[in-house]
Amino acid sequence: MTTARTEAITILRPDAVAAGTRAIAIEVPVAIEIDGLGYAVMMMTPADLPAFTTGFLLTERLADSADDVRDIDVFEAEAGWIVRVGLSERCRGRIHDRVRHRTSDTSCGLCGISGLEQLRKPVAGTPPRPDVPVTAIFAALAGLRAHQPLNAATGAIHAAAACDRSGAVLAAYEDVGRHNALDKLVGGLAIRSSEPPAFILVTSRISFEMVDKALVAGVAMLVGISAPTSLAIDHARAHGLTLLALARSDAILVVNDPFGVFENGSEGDYPKVGN
């Protein structure tokens, strides 16, 4: 099973631009079917799936021991991977009760869906062309810490911030889960009927779910301080979302630039962004 791939990227620095490559972690949907019932779709690295399935069933309290996990069958499908597994007779009734009453799951952004086909959710509209100077992105990075009081106290909290064209943080939300922080931001903007910000900055890796939430928010650009996954890049490309990653005080990687706003101009003018 492939767990990484190489992607061409552009490296932004305050005074220069360069081309390069980077290894990107593979993220795929893995559908878990237990005794013939679709239970969850996990976004994950496609490695050690039998071990994952056993541990997942144990931590979900669907099995009491590894002996209760039977006949694990792992196979690749068009949209991802499927794991079919059975439970021992003494545990079999739990899955029926769980599926009947289960409404949500906090361990994964997509655990509430039951099949790979449900990943293909419609996306309304196309993200606009970003109009953000590179200096604004570095300014947002420098100013974000002031909007992370809970993380300052605990060191274990993610944040998602809406930023304007100057890099000022308009709104920021914190949560122990990166998905939760971004959901709070999207919800807060929606409650206030705010126009989409110039860009969203998140303090985490960028996965499929994070890109999808940014698309729902109608934002032009998503910036993350950690690396993207393969599926996140594919999702951004499919829907025209500008995607920047590994954003640090000295460099930012341009991973998806559908409008070409971060390319070096023919006259050598850097950066070519906005007006």
Side-chain angles (χ1 to χ4, degrees):
M1 300 178 184
T2 303
T3 57
R5 77 186 193 196
T6 301
E7 284 282 342
I9 51 88
T10 300
I11 303 170
L12 295 181
R13 301 189 189 282
D15 58 353
V17 61
T21 61
R22 183 169 183 87
I24 302 296
I26 296 294
E27 180 190 32
V28 297
V30 178
I32 309 296
E33 298 180 2
I34 306 172
D35 286 335
L37 297 174
Y39 183 73
V41 175
M42 313 297 291
M43 306 305 297
M44 57 184 297
T45 301
D48 305 310
L49 293 182
F52 163 77
T53 301
T54 300
F56 180 74
L57 294 183
L58 290 171
T59 58
E60 287 282 295
R61 310 307 196 268
L62 292 171
D64 295 327
S65 71
D67 291 337
D68 292 319
V69 182
R70 308 282 177 82
D71 304 320
I72 298 176
D73 184 16
V74 178
F75 59 98
E76 190 172 12
E78 181 180 356
W81 290 81
I82 296 175
V83 178
R84 289 177 177 159
V85 61
L87 290 170
S88 66
E89 187 66 33
R90 70 190 183 106
C91 297
R92 193 160 295 158
R94 300 179 191 178
I95 182 63
H96 296 279
D97 292 338
R98 185 71 61 83
V99 169
R100 185 179 305 116
H101 298 292
R102 190 169 185 261
T103 58
S104 65
D105 193 312
T106 59
S107 65
C108 169
L110 295 178
C111 293
I113 69 176
S114 60
L116 297 178
E117 67 281 354
Q118 291 177 273
L119 285 172
R120 298 190 177 95
K121 296 179 289 187
V123 174
T126 301
R129 182 184 191 276
D131 183 22
V132 180
V134 172
T135 53
I137 306 171
F138 285 107
L141 287 167
L144 182 60
R145 183 169 295 186
H147 299 269
Q148 297 178 265
L150 186 56
N151 187 61
T154 66
I157 301 297
H158 283 297
C163 306
D164 68 13
R165 191 181 181 276
S166 72
V169 175
L170 303 174
Y173 291 84
E174 293 184 284
D175 196 279
V176 70
R178 55 197 174 87
H179 306 100
N180 299 341
L182 186 48
D183 277 340
K184 289 178 180 179
L185 178 64
V186 173
L189 294 173
I191 290 170
R192 293 194 295 271
S193 299
S194 302
E195 290 294 317
F199 63 98
I200 285 176
L201 173 62
V202 296
T203 63
S204 65
R205 71 180 175 89
I206 302 172
S207 61
F208 172 92
E209 302 98 311
M210 302 296 275
V211 168
D212 201 60
K213 294 176 192 299
L215 289 169
V216 170
V219 73
M221 183 170 71
L222 176 63
V223 182
I225 68 168
S226 191
T229 66
S230 63
L231 201 58
I233 295 173
D234 293 345
H235 200 37
R237 285 177 178 163
H239 297 286
L241 178 70
T242 301
L243 187 63
L244 277 61
L246 284 170
R248 307 295 167 82
S249 61
D250 61 342
I252 302 169
L253 302 189
V254 179
V255 181
N256 190 51
D257 187 12
F259 298 93
V261 297
F262 295 111
E263 294 176 355
N264 196 12
S266 57
E267 295 80 25
D269 52 333
Y270 176 81
K272 185 181 73 175
V273 292
N275 297 323

